Amino acid sequence: MLKMGYEISENTKVSLFLKNFHGKKWELGPEGGPILPDLPDDYRRDTHNLKILNKGKEHEFSLTFFHNFGHHKLKDGWHSRDHTYGSEIRYTTFTFVNNELTLGSDWQWFGGKRLNYAPDKWCRYQYSSYIWNEHEFENLIFTLGGRYSRDSISGGEFCPQGGIVYKFGNGNRVRANVSKAFRFPQLNELYMFPPSNTDLKPEKVLTYELGYNQRVNDWLTYDITGYYMDGEDLIQVVSGKFKNVGDFAFKGVEIGIEGKWENFKSTLYYSYLDPGNRTRGIAKNKLDLILNYRRDKFNILGTVQYVFDYYSGDISTGKLSDY
């Protein structure tokens, strides 16, 4: 991996990111099942990313170009090559008093070929444009935005978002947010592997959030957020094939506590998620602990995560060990 940058001027810099990964992975298969042949999955991934950034007092502009590609040879005989080309342009202005306005657009082209199992090719285009605005009054912050995305396979989708924050006391805040999101079916879900299904529709979800943040004193703050997600056309594997399995409703709570003293900072997060009957591959409870020490230009960070109430099947079946 290589990352380097060059400052063209006080406000303009260009950065380049390069990454090459080549690895082999051996797996024996499930406990009690037949042992697979002693062959590895062989992966190679390469990434190239070039970004130009201009940042002034009243505006920020960035232009990014990226390219990644891969070569995969798996022990079950799968053999493929793929590539992605993309670009993003983003402009933010602070010209208006107490206001931040962002406009942007991005474009991606996916392509690849399967080199066995009846050789085949796939190709896909995606583009999107978005606008986001934040305006601050005395104690109120309003946000409003939207994003339109279009996919050459699944069609177009518009996703709006709006929110409000009320500030009171010494850094205390109450916030509410409503947003729409979606997920286009991935290429492997549509074409590539045996469970693929070309008739898949995008997943869609409406999310409602309500949160509260309080600064107790100079060294302790906490945050609590409740949310509800109402979605449709969830994609899961059913009887060996990807399918849209219908509506879903998730609700949950996230709590964070942060403490600071001298050069140390510690943050503890707890997350509870109630997915209803759709429990497959979703952890109901998670704990995250982040420890951070910073002195001058030196910084060291450590994280620990504990996951429990985790299932391999729906309706809370196939309980997996905590980890």
Side-chain angles (χ1 to χ4, degrees):
M1 183 173 66
L2 172 67
K3 183 177 182 180
M4 56 186 180
Y6 180 74
E7 292 187 354
I8 300 174
S9 65
E10 182 180 356
N11 296 329
T12 305
K13 63 180 180 180
V14 59
S15 61
L16 177 66
F17 176 78
L18 305 173
K19 183 178 180 180
N20 169 266
F21 171 82
H22 186 197
K24 295 184 178 182
K25 180 181 180 183
W26 284 263
E27 290 183 338
L28 294 179
E31 292 182 0
I35 298 177
L36 296 175
D38 189 20
L39 296 174
D41 289 332
D42 193 320
Y43 303 87
R44 179 178 175 180
R45 302 297 309 175
D46 288 80
T47 299
H48 308 144
N49 188 302
L50 177 67
K51 182 175 182 179
I52 302 170
L53 175 65
N54 179 271
K55 190 173 183 179
K57 293 182 178 179
E58 294 187 349
H59 75 273
E60 181 176 315
F61 171 81
S62 66
L63 179 61
T64 304
F65 301 95
F66 60 89
H67 170 222
N68 65 69
F69 56 95
H71 185 190
H72 306 139
K73 296 177 70 175
L74 308 185
K75 59 177 167 283
D76 63 1
W78 177 268
H79 189 192
S80 67
R81 293 180 181 271
D82 65 87
H83 59 263
T84 302
Y85 294 92
S87 63
E88 180 181 14
I89 186 170
R90 179 185 177 100
Y91 176 76
T92 300
T93 178
F94 312 97
T95 305
F96 308 106
V97 179
N98 297 327
N99 188 278
E100 180 178 332
L101 175 65
T102 298
L103 304 169
S105 184
D106 54 65
W107 169 86
Q108 294 184 81
W109 172 41
F110 308 90
K113 61 175 64 176
R114 184 172 58 204
L115 303 176
N116 61 350
Y117 291 149
D120 196 9
K121 294 183 179 180
W122 59 85
C123 182
R124 183 180 200 174
Y125 301 89
Q126 288 180 358
Y127 68 86
S128 63
S129 297
Y130 55 89
I131 181 171
W132 182 84
N133 185 243
E134 176 181 291
H135 191 86
E136 183 172 354
F137 295 94
E138 291 184 357
N139 294 323
L140 288 174
I141 301 175
F142 290 97
T143 59
L144 184 65
R147 181 185 186 100
Y148 177 77
S149 299
R150 186 159 191 87
D151 179 83
S152 59
I153 297 172
S154 302
E157 195 73 37
F158 176 71
C159 291
Q161 174 182 335
I164 184 172
V165 178
Y166 175 67
K167 302 184 294 183
F168 63 96
N170 186 20
N172 302 325
R173 298 185 174 200
V174 175
R175 64 186 182 276
N177 188 71
V178 179
S179 62
K180 179 184 176 183
F182 70 96
R183 185 179 77 88
F184 288 132
Q186 302 299 302
L187 283 171
N188 64 301
E189 297 169 340
L190 289 166
Y191 300 115
M192 296 168 59
F193 300 108
S196 61
N197 181 1
T198 56
D199 296 327
L200 291 174
K201 295 182 289 185
E203 294 178 346
K204 302 176 185 178
V205 63
L206 275 173
T207 301
Y208 308 87
E209 286 187 23
L210 183 64
Y212 176 71
N213 178 274
Q214 182 178 15
R215 182 180 179 185
V216 180
N217 49 43
D218 290 339
W219 61 272
L220 183 65
T221 60
Y222 73 88
D223 184 278
I224 181 170
T225 303
Y227 61 89
Y228 178 77
M229 302 171 67
D230 183 17
E232 61 184 40
D233 293 324
L234 181 69
I235 297 174
Q236 287 186 341
V237 176
V238 179
S239 302
K241 189 172 185 178
F242 284 113
K243 294 182 180 180
N244 293 107
V245 296
D247 299 341
F248 61 95
F250 297 162
K251 52 190 174 184
V253 176
E254 295 181 349
I255 301 172
I257 302 174
E258 181 182 280
K260 298 179 181 178
W261 60 98
E262 296 182 352
N263 297 320
F264 292 91
K265 182 171 73 172
S266 176
T267 309
L268 178 66
Y269 293 103
Y270 168 69
S271 175
Y272 169 75
L273 170 62
D274 178 7
N277 290 329
R278 302 196 183 280
T279 57
R280 184 198 306 181
I282 297 176
K284 288 188 176 182
N285 291 278
K286 288 196 299 183
L287 280 170
D288 290 271
L289 176 64
I290 303 173
L291 302 173
N292 191 10
Y293 174 79
R294 179 184 294 274
R295 186 168 183 174
D296 298 327
K297 294 184 178 181
F298 177 77
N299 184 54
I300 186 169
L301 180 73
T303 65
V304 179
Q305 183 181 78
Y306 180 62
V307 176
F308 52 108
D309 283 344
Y310 192 36
Y311 301 89
S312 63
D314 286 331
I315 322 178
S316 300
T317 58
K319 190 175 188 307
L320 303 174
S321 300
D322 302 343
Y323 68 93

